[in-house]
């Protein structure tokens, strides 16, 4: 019997037509064909203290030449669509996955689009029996990508490290790995990968090294980091499969019997020639050198990192960074070349792999208006204070106002108490002295929590071993303490703080790369610990760097080397990096009796376009509501006609109307209806309690019996306390005071049954909003 194709679902078309066509063309259903492949996680949206995810992007089919070499994407449609209706979706997914060929099919034919075509037709139609074989597609891909020598193919198709149940590379990690491997196989010896903090650079590096090492292309490997904790995390986590072939260089000795060496660059170099132990190796000893966080030193021609790289110049070298440093004075691109792949913070947030953020910007009067000492005034140490105006740039660098520190600590503690007192928090300070004073101020503001455990607040800086010893506990999701870490530089890069929910900026930051590294401490998502987004509290206008067009753009080389070498950085003006943690050589004045107050506080949100919403919240709300409801009458019609008001609230929040944040600004005792009517349409609001009392005054429920009226009266109390969501949720009947009246079944029977109870609730809602 003939099958009516038009009656089949999209999934039926896949099963009955597309999959058989692929198998007939030689594609292995077990190793080369994957269906319903999830590409992204779905972007996280934050609404007040709540969040939700978009649906993830899923490809109907991804075809693989080898298990780690995706080569084509197919998007299927049911037979009521044309053969090409899935093409735009296929192109989107194929571009993300970096495959050369994409297809659309409705079961009648395939439409092929060659994403690499430079000559000839870009799109062509193929019959269901003419789909290319794996070898045909790979031959075309090899020709396009100029993979010519047999040994090139052997390196490029070398397998990943995989273990049963182990993690597989995400789509962008796969692209980064394959692009790096292909470039190296074809002879490129300087590789730059740019991947946002939290996107798994170390895991990506491991897979690149593993494939080159197992294929025999690179046998001796040096992996360079600049923090001990980074080397240790790498050794025990991502690089663990190297086992006995791997060592960490310690004690300034090198054992050449190992093939994979992890090294803290400070451990193998030094200021004195005899301490440069990397010279114990011959210059051609290593086949591959990988530099983690290469922005931190290798960008400068005269850096110790660069000295190591130039000594091992015959090796293939890979630089990995979230923040390539590109200034007139230093450059990653000048050394490594343009990046072979860029995965940005914005893309990571859009894909749902990274956490979005909101910014609370707090401006203090002494920062903005400045402070000038009286003539001859001395600080509490007896130092005469230089007579000039001190402003935000000076605070806690040259001028310490005790009451400013206390105010910052007070605002941080207030935020935590209002949200989650045990949310992991990093407070970035100007230097060690500032970090210690901030620790003291926070201890006094959070005394109740500190009494429970003195580790609630710890200073974690490079000079203090007790604090540094707690770093592992701070970044361990399983460890409750420390909760708050005050620091200056130690936590600014490389530390994998998966559950950090609050970043406090009380540090002057001019460097875009440093700013991105600091923000990166919060961008990791950890669903097991309910970490989907993070908050930034900014006291130093550092978040103005979000507006820099280069913040999340493609790295562009602007290096200007002169004929005699690189130019000398200026000695005045903004520094490319903050001062060292030590305050030696810098005069500081300490003043205790100057009052400090907040002059402005505003909240900014991560918008759908990847930019911070900087307009005033009321204006932003009005604009978003008016895009859906042009007039108050339109809104009232939809609101009163809705069976469940919370569905309207959900739709508004999906449009970007931040009801929870709006309530904080306008008044927590207003419900969504009054917030919208007041802010978007200038209608005077009524509190929930006022609306409930108005209903009682009109005595609209006389037709019900005494017990039923008691239930409705209790629902009015619930509305006044918590809003319309509680009234609409029938589960409210399980709690007091309803449970004292009877079981949910008994209560609905008071109204004549479930339908009659819901009708009474609807009547209550109509009465509430009839004002």
């Amino acid at each position: 019997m003939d099958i009516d194709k038009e009656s089949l679902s999209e999934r039926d078309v896949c099963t009955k037509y597309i999959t058989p066509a692929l198998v007939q063309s030689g594609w292995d259903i077990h190793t080369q064909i994957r269906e319903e492949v999830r590409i992204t996680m779905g972007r996280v949206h934050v609404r007040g203290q709540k969040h939700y995810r978009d649906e993830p992007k899923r490809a109907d089919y991804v075809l693989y030449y080898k298990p780690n070499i995706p080569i084509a994407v197919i998007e299927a449609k049911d037979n009521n669509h044309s053969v090409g209706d899935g093409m735009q979706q296929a192109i989107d997914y194929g571009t993300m996955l970096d495959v050369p060929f994409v297809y659309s099919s409705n079961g009648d034919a395939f439409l092929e689009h060659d994403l690499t075509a430079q000559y000839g037709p870009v799109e062509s139609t193929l019959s269901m029996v003419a789909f290319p074989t794996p070898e045909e597609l790979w031959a075309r891909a090899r020709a396009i990508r100029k993979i010519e020598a047999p040994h090139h193919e052997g390196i490029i198709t070398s397998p990943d490290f995989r273990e049963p149940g182990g993690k597989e590379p995400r789509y962008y990690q796969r692209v980064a790995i394959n692009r790096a491997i292909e470039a190296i196989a074809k002879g490129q010896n300087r590789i730059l990968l740019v991947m946002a903090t939290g996107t798994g650079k170390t895991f990506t590096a491991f897979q690149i090294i593993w494939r080159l090492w197992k294929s025999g292309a690179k046998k001796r490997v040096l992996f360079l980091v600049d923090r001990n904790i980074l080397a240790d995390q790498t050794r025990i986590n991502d690089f663990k499969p190297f086992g006995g072939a791997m060592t960490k260089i310690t004690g300034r000795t090198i054992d050449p019997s190992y093939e994979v060496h992890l090294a803290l660059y400070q451990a193998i170099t030094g200021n004195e020639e005899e301490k440069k132990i990397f010279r114990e190796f011959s210059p051609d000893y290593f086949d591959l050198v990988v530099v983690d966080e290469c922005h931190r030193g290798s960008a400068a021609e005269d850096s110790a990192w660069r000295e190591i790289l130039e000594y091992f110049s015959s090796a293939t070298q890979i630089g990995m960074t979230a923040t390539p440093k590109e200034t007139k004075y230093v450059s990653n691109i000048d050394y490594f070349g343009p990046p072979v792949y860029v995965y940005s913070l914005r893309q990571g947030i859009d894909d749902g792999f990274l956490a979005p953020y909101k910014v609370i910007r707090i401006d203090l009067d002494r920062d903005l208006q400045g402070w000038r000492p009286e003539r001859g005034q001395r600080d509490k140490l007896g130092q005469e204070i230089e007579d000039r105006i001190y402003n935000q740039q000076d605070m806690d660098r040259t001028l310490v106002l005790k009451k400013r520190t206390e105010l910052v600590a007070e605002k941080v503690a207030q935020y935590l108490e209002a949200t989650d007192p045990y949310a992991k928090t990093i407070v970035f300070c100007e230097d060690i002295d500032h970090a210690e004073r901030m620790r003291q101020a926070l201890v006094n503001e959070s005394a109740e929590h500190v009494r429970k455990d003195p580790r609630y607040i710890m200073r974690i800086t490079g000079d203090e071993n007790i604090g540094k010893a707690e770093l592992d506990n701070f970044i361990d999701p399983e460890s409750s303490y420390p909760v708050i870490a005050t620091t200056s530089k130690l936590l600014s890069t490389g530390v994998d703080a998966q559950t950090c929910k609050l970043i406090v900026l009380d540090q002057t930051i001019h460097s875009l790369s440093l700013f991105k590294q600091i923000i990166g401490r919060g961008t990791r998502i950890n669903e097991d610990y309910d970490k989907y987004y993070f908050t930034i509290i900014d006291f130093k206008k550092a978040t103005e760097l979000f507006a820099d067009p280069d913040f999340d753009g493609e790295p562009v080389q602007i290096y200007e080397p002169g004929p005699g070498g690189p130019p000398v950085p200026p000695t005045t003006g903004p520094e490319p990096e903050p001062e060292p943690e030590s305050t030696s050589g810098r005069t500081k004045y300490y003043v205790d009796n100057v009052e400090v107050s907040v002059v402005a506080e505003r909240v900014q949100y991560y918008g759908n376009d990847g930019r911070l919403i900087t307009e005033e919240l009321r204006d932003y709300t009005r604009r978003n509501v008016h895009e859906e409801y042009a007039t108050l009458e339109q809104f009232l019609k939809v609101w009163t006609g809705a069976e469940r008001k919370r569905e309207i609230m959900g739709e508004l929040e999906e449009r970007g109307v931040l009801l929870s944040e709006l309530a904080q600004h306008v008044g927590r005792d207003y419900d969504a209806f009054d917030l919208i009517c007041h802010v978007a349409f200038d209608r005077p609001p009524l509190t929930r309690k006022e609306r409930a009392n108005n209903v009682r005054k009109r005595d609209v429920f006389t037709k019900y019996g005494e017990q039923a009226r008691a239930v409705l009266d209790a629902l009015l109390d619930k509305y006044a306390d918590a809003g319309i969501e509680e009234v609409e949720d029938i589960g409210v009947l399980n709690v007091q005071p309803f449970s004292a009246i009877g079981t949910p079944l008994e209560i609905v029977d008071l109204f004549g049954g479930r339908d009659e109870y819901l009708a009474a609730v609807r009547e209550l809602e109509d009465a509430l909003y009839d004002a």
Side-chain angles (χ1 to χ4, degrees):
M1 186 175 69
D2 292 337
I3 298 174
D4 179 9
K5 263 190 189 181
E6 293 186 357
S7 69
L8 298 178
S9 68
E10 179 181 300
R11 186 53 18 208
D12 290 335
V13 168
C14 292
T15 302
K16 296 179 181 295
Y17 294 98
I18 297 177
T19 299
L22 296 175
V23 172
Q24 182 181 349
S25 293
W27 293 88
D28 189 294
I29 198 167
H30 300 294
T31 62
Q32 294 182 306
I33 302 172
R34 287 183 60 188
E35 296 187 55
E36 291 293 308
V37 178
R38 188 179 69 182
I39 301 173
T40 69
M41 293 294 290
R43 174 175 163 162
V44 174
H45 296 267
V46 181
R47 298 295 177 256
Q49 302 301 319
K50 300 178 182 179
H51 72 273
Y52 67 91
R53 276 192 184 273
D54 288 338
E55 285 296 314
K57 290 184 177 181
R58 295 180 185 273
D60 291 329
Y61 289 86
V62 178
L63 305 185
Y64 296 80
Y65 177 65
K66 297 290 184 182
N68 56 354
I69 308 291
I71 196 170
V73 165
I74 304 173
E75 277 305 302
K77 295 295 178 184
D78 65 44
N79 202 248
N80 294 299
H81 291 79
S82 71
V83 67
D85 274 359
M87 182 53 72
Q88 292 190 148
Q89 196 172 0
I91 292 172
D92 180 35
Y93 295 165
T95 302
M96 294 174 71
L97 296 175
D98 204 31
V99 300
F101 312 109
V102 297
Y103 299 84
S104 175
S105 178
N106 64 353
D108 289 340
F110 291 100
L111 180 66
E112 180 188 82
H113 184 110
D114 185 343
L115 291 171
T116 65
Q118 297 180 3
Y119 309 101
V122 174
E123 290 192 355
S124 54
T125 303
L126 310 173
S127 73
M128 293 302 291
V129 296
F131 195 87
T133 67
E135 289 71 24
E136 287 171 342
L137 279 192
W138 179 241
R140 289 167 62 186
R142 283 175 54 197
I144 291 164
R145 292 175 173 172
K146 295 182 171 53
I147 303 170
E148 298 163 350
H151 70 278
H152 289 174
E153 183 171 351
I155 297 171
I156 290 168
T157 60
S158 59
D160 294 333
F161 173 82
R162 294 193 181 187
E163 56 184 355
K167 63 180 179 180
E168 292 188 13
R170 295 168 173 170
Y171 87 86
Y172 61 87
Q173 293 170 337
R174 164 69 57 226
V175 176
I177 294 164
N178 286 346
R179 284 196 183 181
I181 293 287
E182 184 173 319
I184 291 168
K186 294 191 292 187
Q188 186 173 327
N189 281 324
R190 299 291 180 268
I191 308 292
L192 181 62
L193 289 172
V194 178
M195 297 170 64
T197 299
T199 56
K201 290 190 297 296
T202 307
F203 176 69
T204 301
F206 161 71
Q207 291 288 4
I208 294 170
I209 296 169
W210 178 269
R211 285 171 62 177
L212 293 170
W213 183 65
K214 292 296 284 186
S215 69
K218 307 292 178 184
K219 293 301 293 181
R220 291 190 290 267
V221 180
L222 176 63
F223 186 79
L224 281 172
V225 299
D226 75 334
R227 300 280 175 88
N228 248 320
I229 188 171
L230 300 181
D232 292 337
Q233 286 176 349
T234 299
R235 180 172 54 84
I236 64 178
N237 294 322
D238 289 322
F239 278 39
K240 185 178 180 180
F242 285 119
M246 173 180 59
T247 186
K248 177 187 173 185
I249 298 174
T250 58
R252 304 191 62 77
T253 59
I254 295 177
D255 186 345
S257 64
Y258 293 94
E259 293 185 316
V260 179
H261 297 258
L262 307 183
L264 187 71
Y265 90 89
Q266 297 95 325
I268 62 174
T269 189
N271 294 327
E272 300 175 21
E273 192 63 31
E274 63 271 15
K275 293 182 179 179
K276 300 181 187 297
I277 64 168
F278 66 87
R279 295 185 183 275
E280 292 182 16
F281 290 108
S282 65
D284 61 354
Y285 181 82
F286 289 111
D287 305 311
L288 177 66
V289 178
V290 180
V291 185
D292 190 34
E293 307 292 359
C294 66
H295 63 279
R296 291 188 58 81
S298 56
E301 285 192 9
D302 58 351
S303 71
W305 294 73
R306 185 67 69 88
E307 185 179 12
I308 299 170
L309 294 178
E310 290 179 347
Y311 181 78
F312 296 115
S313 60
S314 63
T316 297
Q317 296 175 1
I318 302 175
M320 307 196 72
T321 181
T323 53
K325 188 170 291 186
E326 296 302 325
T327 74
K328 290 188 294 184
Y329 315 108
V330 294
S331 171
N332 289 118
I333 292 175
D334 182 66
Y335 184 80
F336 288 104
V340 298
Y341 185 62
V342 176
Y343 189 72
S344 68
L345 173 66
R346 183 181 302 176
Q347 188 64 54
I349 293 175
D350 285 345
D351 289 341
F353 295 115
L354 295 181
Y357 47 84
K358 70 175 182 180
V359 174
I360 300 174
R361 176 73 182 274
I362 300 177
D363 294 328
L364 306 179
D365 59 349
R366 297 299 177 183
D367 289 11
L368 302 186
Q369 299 164 12
W371 177 78
R372 183 177 182 179
E374 297 176 2
R375 184 184 298 273
Q377 183 174 345
R378 295 183 179 274
D379 72 352
K380 73 173 188 176
L381 302 180
Q383 304 175 101
E384 183 173 340
I385 305 172
E386 181 186 353
D387 183 15
R388 65 178 180 86
I389 295 175
Y390 295 84
N391 55 30
Q392 191 171 64
Q393 298 280 341
D394 300 299
M395 297 302 167
D396 291 292
R397 294 168 69 83
T398 55
L399 178 67
V400 175
L401 299 180
K402 180 181 180 182
K403 294 189 177 182
R404 183 189 182 282
T405 306
E406 292 172 346
L407 181 57
V408 170
E410 177 187 345
K411 298 300 291 185
V412 172
Q414 284 177 353
Y415 176 83
L416 288 171
E417 287 298 325
T419 54
D420 177 6
Y422 286 85
K424 292 294 180 78
T425 299
I426 305 176
V427 184
F428 286 96
C429 303
E430 295 288 359
D431 51 35
I432 290 173
D433 167 64
H434 185 198
E436 172 55 24
R437 288 183 291 100
M438 186 59 67
R439 184 198 66 80
Q440 296 172 26
L442 284 165
V443 164
N444 290 328
E445 288 292 336
S446 308
E448 178 184 348
H449 301 296
V450 174
R451 290 188 190 102
K452 292 179 182 178
D453 193 310
R455 295 176 302 157
Y456 180 79
I457 300 166
M458 298 288 293
R459 170 167 64 91
I460 302 179
T461 49
D463 71 317
E464 211 273 329
N465 291 331
I466 294 176
K468 281 197 294 185
E470 290 292 338
L471 180 54
D472 285 346
N473 288 328
F474 179 74
I475 65 178
D476 181 3
E478 296 283 349
S479 179
S480 299
Y481 298 99
V483 174
I484 303 174
T486 67
T487 190
S488 56
K489 290 180 66 178
L490 188 62
L491 301 184
S492 65
T493 185
V495 176
D496 191 9
Q498 298 178 29
T499 55
C500 178
K501 292 184 177 181
L502 177 62
I503 290 175
V504 179
L505 301 177
D506 199 23
Q507 182 182 106
T508 303
I509 302 172
H510 296 300
S511 164
L512 197 57
S513 63
L514 175 63
F515 176 66
K516 291 174 75 171
Q517 287 292 329
I518 287 176
I519 297 308
R521 300 314 103 209
T523 54
R524 288 163 175 80
I525 287 177
N526 190 317
E527 296 185 356
D528 293 338
Y529 292 88
D530 198 35
K531 161 67 187 306
Y532 291 90
Y533 65 94
F534 68 106
T535 301
I536 304 165
I537 300 181
D538 179 18
F539 292 93
K540 288 286 186 80
K541 295 186 178 180
T543 51
E544 290 183 352
L545 287 168
F546 278 127
D548 190 312
D550 294 329
F551 172 72
D552 206 34
E554 293 285 321
V556 177
Q557 184 177 352
I558 55 175
Y559 182 53
E560 298 178 358
V568 179
T571 56
T572 60
E575 311 93 332
E577 293 287 359
E579 292 183 9
E581 292 186 298
S582 169
T583 60
S584 61
R586 173 155 44 96
T587 301
K588 263 192 180 184
Y589 304 109
Y590 296 82
V591 181
D592 289 354
N593 58 355
V594 174
E595 296 296 329
V596 181
S597 62
V598 174
V599 294
E601 183 172 343
R602 65 177 177 177
V603 181
Q604 299 171 296
Y605 312 90
Y606 188 86
N608 291 332
D609 61 354
R611 299 288 184 184
L612 278 177
I613 298 165
T614 56
E615 62 188 306
E616 205 276 335
L617 184 60
R618 289 170 182 258
D619 296 335
Y620 174 71
T621 301
R622 181 188 293 267
R623 178 169 56 80
N624 275 6
V625 171
H626 284 179
E627 287 177 359
E628 184 71 13
Y629 307 106
T631 65
L632 175 62
E633 289 69 28
Q634 286 182 2
F635 175 69
L636 293 176
K637 182 179 180 180
V638 173
W639 182 270
T640 55
E643 286 287 337
R644 298 170 71 84
K645 309 302 186 222
R646 59 182 172 184
E647 291 179 0
I648 303 298
M649 296 161 64
E651 291 172 3
L652 287 168
E653 290 191 329
E654 287 184 14
R655 292 195 62 84
V657 177
L658 308 170
L659 292 171
S660 298
E661 303 292 348
L662 198 61
Q664 292 180 20
H665 283 70
V666 179
R668 292 179 180 276
D669 50 355
Y670 299 122
D671 76 356
F673 176 81
D674 281 283
L675 290 172
I676 296 303
C677 288
H678 177 59
V679 172
F681 301 108
D682 298 318
R683 176 170 164 166
L686 294 175
T687 66
R688 293 192 299 269
K689 187 174 182 180
E690 288 171 335
R691 287 193 175 278
N693 288 338
N694 285 343
V695 174
R696 290 190 174 103
K697 290 175 184 176
R698 295 198 299 271
D699 200 17
V700 296
F701 301 121
T702 55
K703 66 180 180 181
Y704 296 104
E706 182 178 351
Q707 283 187 298
R709 287 201 304 272
V711 172
L712 294 170
D713 195 63
L715 284 173
L716 286 174
D717 286 336
K718 280 292 182 185
Y719 167 79
D721 288 340
I724 198 65
E725 299 102 310
E726 291 282 336
V727 175
E728 291 187 332
D729 185 359
I730 199 169
V732 76
L733 300 181
N734 289 302
V735 301
Q736 288 286 357
F738 304 99
S739 56
I741 299 173
T743 66
L745 183 59
E746 290 171 338
I747 290 174
V748 299
D749 282 345
L750 294 173
F751 295 85
R754 180 185 175 89
D755 289 344
E756 288 77 7
Y757 167 78
L758 294 176
V761 171
R762 178 68 185 271
E763 185 180 0
L764 180 148
E765 291 182 351
D766 291 343
L768 279 170
Y769 298 112
D770 183 21

